[in-house]
Amino acid sequence: MGKAAAVGTAVVVCAAVGVAVVVARRRRRREAELQGSAEADRKRRAAAVIEEVERSLSTPTALLRSIADAMVSEMERGLRGDIHSQLKMLISYVDNLPTGDEHGLYYALDLGGTNFRVLRVQLGGREKRVVKQQYEEVSIPPHLMVGSSMELFDFIAAALAKFVDTEGEDFHLPEGRQRELGFTFSFPVNQISISSGTLIKWTKGFSVNGTVGADVVSELSKAMERQGLDMKVTALVNDTVGTLAGGRYMDNDVVAAVILGTGTNAAYVEHANAIPKWTGLLPKSGNMVINTEWGSFKSDKLPLSEYDKAMDFESLNPGEQIYEKMISGMYLGEIVRRILLKLAHDASLFGDVVPPKLEQPFVLRTPDMSAMHHDSSHDLKILGAKLKDIVGVADTSLEVRYITRHICDLVAERGARLAAAGIYSILKKIGRDKVPSNGSKMPRTVIALDGGLYEHYKKFSSCVETTLTDLLGEEASSSVVAKLANDGSGIGAALLAASHSQYADVD
């Protein structure tokens, strides 16, 4: 009887264990099914976000052509002096670009941020070109960025005087002549001649008292006098105009300059008789360099996504610089961050918890974006390390890394294609966009490009060039060259000082 009970109990226990095993297996299967279903749902949600991003950032060639047409229209309005034009089309008063014949000693001062540069160059004419050049970079103490005009310009003039004192025997100033300077001033200026212009407003963290409305050349000249420095400012230029001058000196076929860096701008050579707002005698050269200030361009043709609109709304200048916010280095990384944040919220891209660091505006910079985009390793190791550093997620799957690189590709491609549309619009404006209908050969046309975004983000610059070729067509594009003009604005200002020298007629 006892043995039978024991056997019965064992049978019951075994049955219970069997049931438990079956239940556990079913639970695991159910959990696996649920997990698989949740993962499939996450992938569906991620795919839906990516598909919408692809759609909203799309730039088909037909759209780029219509954007270029809209930009040409705004350029024409700006040249007429229409106050409602999106493009300022500022007259630079530069009508003589360097020819290569310039010779002598010239200085340049480049002020456009928290550092400024002083440069000197000895020019040897067409044969020797740039015989020698030297430069120094100086940091501006923070308190001078918010001090008085006299304090700031005295500091700059003192640094310039110190630099002049180090002038070696390789640099020669003809006896009885005054040193001459080209002044690159990259702040909004109402220019009234080649060597004078009044400051409209300070930007880039500067808020100096007593300069707005004043002639910045006069402010610098008075400061140089106080330092006992005998030097004349013969050219006041914007950095893009300086890049154009530097580019033309190196290549006589340069017709335009484009900056693609933290910000963006373009300048080009226009026929003076195509500038209705120009008053007075036409320049002898028949040409005038126009500073487009194209970063302010906006049009309902531009493919603005929800990410662009949100970024613009939260910016310091909502509704302004729309084109710049879509193509320049200041903003590309931030657009990528906003898309990744959407994927984190809507599709748990980085897990169930949204990484707090990803919520921080501008935490992802464009150089980081470029490094991730250029990662060609099989496991995207560099990209994974960047995500760890920037987003704070230690382990990311290969799928997450590929998605991130795809987003970088979409944002960079749109920016590059829109930049190419801008360049194409300038070529259209000056009639260099197609082969002449009379059968004559299309003249060689060179665009000088400068800026860290174009120089260092190779996938971006490559896309700019291939898109421009696509817009121009095979035959016309064979005559158009995009050429890197690295650091063209510094030497460009010195060259413009030479081409607008007070001794030009004597020489």
Side-chain angles (χ1 to χ4, degrees), residues 231-249:
M231 185 177 281
K232 180 180 175 66
V233 179
T234 58
L236 172 66
V237 296
N238 163 276
D239 57 349
T240 318
V241 175
T243 298
L244 176 53
R248 173 64 72 89
Y249 184 73

Side-chain angles (χ1 to χ4, degrees), residues 136-365:
E136 248 176 48
E137 196 157 303
V138 182
S139 294
I140 300 174
H143 72 276
L144 292 181
M145 294 171 64
V146 292
S148 72
S149 186
M150 182 180 285
E151 288 171 328
L152 174 64
F153 282 99
D154 277 352
F155 177 80
I156 292 169
L160 184 56
K162 189 177 175 183
F163 183 63
V164 170
D165 286 342
T166 65
E167 198 178 277
E169 292 180 2
D170 293 333
F171 296 91
H172 311 287
L173 182 73
E175 194 173 336
R177 288 199 175 182
Q178 192 178 23
R179 286 178 179 81
E180 294 179 308
L181 172 88
F183 185 13
T184 302
F185 187 75
S186 300
F187 297 91
V189 162
N190 178 27
Q191 194 142 355
I192 46 185
S193 76
I194 184 59
S195 58
S196 59
T198 57
L199 178 66
I200 297 169
K201 64 177 178 179
W202 285 109
T203 56
K204 306 175 190 179
F206 282 76
S207 184
V208 177
N209 295 320
T211 323
V212 173
D215 181 353
V216 293
V217 171
S218 176
E219 293 294 296
L220 176 61
S221 299
K222 286 185 286 188
M224 289 192 295
E225 283 177 28
R226 288 191 291 271
Q227 292 295 327
L229 178 59
D230 185 22
M231 185 177 281
K232 180 180 175 66
V233 179
T234 58
L236 172 66
V237 296
N238 163 276
D239 57 349
T240 318
V241 175
T243 298
L244 176 53
R248 173 64 72 89
Y249 184 73
M250 299 301 174
D251 190 325
N252 203 45
D253 293 328
V254 168
V255 298
V258 174
I259 304 286
L260 290 168
T262 305
T264 184
N265 195 14
Y268 73 102
V269 182
E270 181 60 275
H271 297 296
N273 58 12
I275 310 171
K277 68 180 177 182
W278 174 262
T279 56
L281 295 172
L282 291 177
K284 290 178 184 176
S285 67
N287 295 320
M288 180 60 68
V289 174
I290 296 294
N291 169 19
T292 67
E293 291 292 340
W294 79 1
S296 62
F297 174 69
K298 58 182 173 183
S299 164
D300 57 7
K301 302 278 195 305
L302 289 173
L304 279 167
S305 67
E306 62 178 277
Y307 312 99
D308 299 297
K309 291 172 185 174
M311 181 179 71
D312 174 55
F313 181 76
E314 295 168 23
S315 71
L316 295 172
N317 54 346
E320 298 177 18
Q321 302 297 109
I322 298 300
Y323 185 58
E324 181 170 79
K325 288 171 182 171
M326 299 176 80
I327 74 171
S328 76
M330 179 76 185
Y331 302 99
L332 295 182
E334 173 62 6
I335 297 168
V336 169
R337 180 196 72 85
R338 287 173 179 270
I339 296 170
L340 293 178
L341 185 60
K342 172 88 168 177
L343 282 162
H345 277 296
D346 290 12
S348 305
L349 185 68
F350 300 103
D352 294 334
V353 178
V354 175
K357 287 177 76 174
L358 192 58
E359 302 269 9
Q360 298 173 23
F362 292 94
V363 71
L364 199 163
R365 301 174 310 116

Side-chain angles (χ1 to χ4, degrees), residues 352-382:
D352 294 334
V353 178
V354 175
K357 287 177 76 174
L358 192 58
E359 302 269 9
Q360 298 173 23
F362 292 94
V363 71
L364 199 163
R365 301 174 310 116
T366 301
D368 299 319
M369 170 190 171
S370 175
M372 294 192 295
H373 193 183
H374 287 98
D375 187 359
S376 58
S377 60
H378 72 281
D379 58 353
L380 301 181
K381 188 176 180 180
I382 296 168

Side-chain angles (χ1 to χ4, degrees), residues 283-496:
K284 290 178 184 176
S285 67
N287 295 320
M288 180 60 68
V289 174
I290 296 294
N291 169 19
T292 67
E293 291 292 340
W294 79 1
S296 62
F297 174 69
K298 58 182 173 183
S299 164
D300 57 7
K301 302 278 195 305
L302 289 173
L304 279 167
S305 67
E306 62 178 277
Y307 312 99
D308 299 297
K309 291 172 185 174
M311 181 179 71
D312 174 55
F313 181 76
E314 295 168 23
S315 71
L316 295 172
N317 54 346
E320 298 177 18
Q321 302 297 109
I322 298 300
Y323 185 58
E324 181 170 79
K325 288 171 182 171
M326 299 176 80
I327 74 171
S328 76
M330 179 76 185
Y331 302 99
L332 295 182
E334 173 62 6
I335 297 168
V336 169
R337 180 196 72 85
R338 287 173 179 270
I339 296 170
L340 293 178
L341 185 60
K342 172 88 168 177
L343 282 162
H345 277 296
D346 290 12
S348 305
L349 185 68
F350 300 103
D352 294 334
V353 178
V354 175
K357 287 177 76 174
L358 192 58
E359 302 269 9
Q360 298 173 23
F362 292 94
V363 71
L364 199 163
R365 301 174 310 116
T366 301
D368 299 319
M369 170 190 171
S370 175
M372 294 192 295
H373 193 183
H374 287 98
D375 187 359
S376 58
S377 60
H378 72 281
D379 58 353
L380 301 181
K381 188 176 180 180
I382 296 168
L383 196 153
K386 282 287 180 187
L387 286 177
K388 180 182 177 182
D389 292 343
I390 297 161
V391 181
V393 179
D395 297 308
T396 48
S397 68
L398 193 57
E399 180 200 13
V400 167
R401 296 178 191 183
Y402 272 110
I403 287 173
T404 301
R405 191 172 70 173
H406 182 52
I407 298 304
C408 291
D409 190 47
L410 292 172
V411 172
E413 182 182 275
R414 183 192 67 164
R417 285 175 66 79
L418 289 174
I423 297 170
Y424 179 61
S425 74
I426 288 176
L427 294 175
K428 282 195 79 166
K429 178 68 185 69
I430 60 176
R432 297 287 186 97
D433 61 318
K434 51 178 170 264
V435 176
S437 56
N438 62 7
S440 61
K441 189 179 177 183
M442 183 172 169
R444 182 171 176 269
T445 302
V446 181
I447 311 296
L449 290 122
D450 197 7
L453 179 64
Y454 184 83
E455 182 180 2
H456 301 300
Y457 200 149
K458 298 304 180 187
K459 285 183 182 289
F460 183 94
S461 53
S462 175
C463 185
V464 170
E465 290 160 23
T466 55
T467 305
L468 187 57
T469 298
D470 182 35
L471 288 166
L472 287 165
E474 192 174 335
E475 196 174 0
S477 66
S478 65
S479 299
V480 176
V481 180
K483 183 183 279 192
L484 179 65
N486 190 11
D487 194 29
S489 66
I491 193 168
L495 290 165
L496 287 170

